[in-house]
Amino acid sequence: MAKEKKVKEKVALDPFTEWAHKSGRVFMVLFIAYMLVIPFIVCTVYDCMPSFKMCLPGLIAITAIMGPASIAEVGSYTPILGSSTYLTFASGNVMNLKIPCIINAQQIAKVEPNTVEGDAVALIATAVSSAVTIIILAIGVVLLSFIKPILENPYVVTASDYLLPALFGCMALGLLSSGNGKTKVKNHLLPALVPALLVTALTVLGIGSTGLAGILIIVMIPVTILCARILWKKGIVKVVPVEQKETAASAQE
């Protein structure tokens, strides 16, 4: 009996998604090469190349802390970022800047994450956010001597302490939203209850220290998915259509 040959069907991507991922891979290779080559050039020119033995302790410490966190961020943020993942992780400020910009842009454009339209909006939002950040930093560097007294003003210093909580507050409001206008997820916050209690308990007991934050994120992702599946199977968490009254009220707003 002849062996049956299994033909793997190639998933057809739309032109934008195919272009975005090809360009993103090329960009990341060039970006990583740039980040690695520049320090070697500077150390070679100024004859200050550190030995591997000197770098090893710091490398181990940073990898232990940032390694799990980086893996967790890539795994949890990629469904939201889509094809903008490459530019987002290259430019940084993922949680406190890029994610809020992308979520806000997708909500304004009324597109869903993990779709072609959502990917396009996310890529535009990331590019604009990065460009604006660079422009603001450039202006700040040029005008640093002029704006330094303003930045050292006690009122400005006090207000600056609330910038990060304000950013996370905006993100929390986005998470509290349970639908897209046509459907909504009933009891959508319940799957996060068990992971939140576990992390709180570990933090109180001193186990969930800062160095283990990345590992806790990696562990809690499957825990959250498992809780969501169990609650969905039991019918506690489910997707339901938005009532006509709610749709009309949101349209008027």
Side-chain angles (χ1 to χ4, degrees):
M1 186 176 181
K3 294 182 179 180
E4 297 181 359
K5 295 182 179 180
K6 295 181 179 180
V7 180
K8 295 182 179 180
E9 296 182 0
K10 186 179 180 180
V11 179
L13 299 176
D14 63 279
F16 169 78
T17 303
E18 189 173 359
W19 167 84
H21 284 287
K22 283 185 178 179
S23 303
R25 294 188 188 102
V26 174
F27 167 75
M28 288 304 296
V29 170
L30 295 175
F31 176 77
I32 293 172
Y34 174 82
M35 295 293 291
L36 294 176
V37 168
I38 293 299
F40 280 98
I41 294 176
V42 172
C43 292
T44 302
V45 170
Y46 291 96
D47 193 21
C48 59
M49 184 71 69
S51 64
F52 181 74
K53 186 177 181 180
M54 293 174 59
C55 299
L56 187 60
L59 180 63
I60 294 175
I62 293 175
T63 303
I65 296 174
M66 296 302 300
S70 300
I71 295 173
E73 287 183 355
V74 172
S76 56
Y77 296 157
T78 299
I80 301 175
L81 299 173
S83 57
S84 67
T85 301
Y86 310 99
L87 180 58
T88 299
F89 284 106
S91 57
N93 291 327
V94 181
M95 189 69 175
N96 60 347
L97 183 60
K98 297 300 189 302
I99 294 292
C101 288
I102 290 172
I103 293 176
N104 190 43
Q106 289 175 339
Q107 289 178 347
I108 292 174
K110 296 181 180 180
V111 295
E112 292 295 321
N114 204 22
T115 62
V116 178
E117 295 80 6
D119 278 5
V121 172
L123 186 57
I124 294 172
T126 304
V128 172
S129 174
S130 301
V132 171
T133 301
I134 294 172
I135 293 172
I136 292 176
L137 289 175
I139 295 174
V141 170
V142 173
L143 302 178
L144 184 60
S145 59
F146 298 98
I147 64 177
K148 186 177 179 180
I150 300 176
L151 297 176
E152 293 177 347
N153 187 290
Y155 298 102
V156 176
V157 172
T158 302
S160 301
D161 294 336
Y162 292 93
L163 289 177
L164 191 59
L167 287 171
F168 280 99
C170 294
M171 294 179 62
L173 289 176
L175 292 173
L176 291 175
S177 176
S178 61
N180 57 5
K182 297 180 181 179
T183 59
K184 65 178 182 179
V185 181
K186 186 179 179 181
N187 300 323
H188 68 289
L189 295 178
L190 285 181
L193 181 61
V194 172
L197 292 175
L198 287 175
V199 172
T200 302
L202 292 174
T203 303
V204 172
L205 295 174
I207 302 175
S209 60
T210 305
L212 297 175
I215 297 176
L216 286 176
I217 294 174
I218 294 177
V219 173
M220 291 306 156
I221 289 175
V223 172
T224 306
I225 296 174
L226 179 62
C227 292
R229 182 169 179 80
I230 293 173
L231 293 174
W232 177 69
K233 284 285 188 180
K234 292 184 175 294
I236 299 174
V237 173
K238 54 186 176 180
V239 179
V240 296
V242 177
E243 296 180 2
Q244 294 182 355
K245 293 182 180 180
E246 295 181 7
T247 307
S250 60
Q252 291 178 357
E253 294 177 359

